[in-house]
Amino acid sequence: MQCSSSLPPQPQKMSASEGPSKVEFKIEESGRKLKKAEVDFMRLIEQQNLQRVQKLQRQRRNNKLTGIALGGTVLGIYLYSMLSVKQEKFLDDFEEPVKLEVENKAL
């Protein structure tokens, strides 16, 4: 009995003129021929995987943009607060009131 691995064929991209969605499967002559339904199923799975990857990439990009926007907002508020406190002059002219000493009267 001959032991052969039943690994799926590796997809190879076709030329750029045929478009990015076309994928050709290289099938070794020594292996069994794939049925049309099997090849169609493999294409369907690859298409679904490509859509999933694109969705995750889009989600990751949106998360990064949201993080940058929130970080920029927080930094802006912080810097504005520091600048505002630095410009306040009302405490510079503030003189502490003179304490009046009142004698305690014993009853």
Side-chain angles (χ1 to χ4, degrees), residues 12-107:
Q12 292 183 340
K13 293 261 183 191
M14 296 181 96
S15 65
S17 63
E18 293 182 22
S21 63
K22 301 269 183 173
V23 176
E24 180 181 320
F25 294 97
K26 182 178 180 182
I27 302 170
E28 295 181 17
E29 293 298 323
S30 62
R32 73 174 180 89
K33 299 283 183 180
L34 292 177
K35 296 177 185 173
K36 183 179 180 331
E38 292 173 331
V39 173
D40 290 341
F41 182 70
M42 288 171 35
R43 284 192 183 123
L44 176 68
I45 295 300
E46 280 191 11
Q47 184 180 18
Q48 289 174 351
N49 190 39
L50 180 64
Q51 289 172 352
R52 181 184 60 85
V53 167
Q54 288 173 344
K55 180 183 173 187
L56 290 173
Q57 287 175 340
R58 188 171 46 252
Q59 190 176 24
R60 190 177 305 127
R61 184 191 70 229
N62 290 342
N63 287 345
K64 287 179 183 177
L65 290 175
T66 302
I68 290 171
L70 289 174
T73 302
V74 168
L75 184 64
I77 291 171
Y78 176 76
L79 291 176
Y80 175 76
S81 298
M82 290 296 117
L83 184 65
S84 295
V85 169
K86 204 180 234 186
Q87 290 178 353
E88 291 179 357
K89 302 287 185 192
F90 74 92
L91 288 177
D92 293 343
D93 297 334
F94 182 73
E95 294 178 16
E96 191 172 333
V98 178
K99 292 183 181 179
L100 297 175
E101 293 185 23
V102 180
E103 296 179 21
N104 290 336
K105 295 183 180 180
L107 292 176

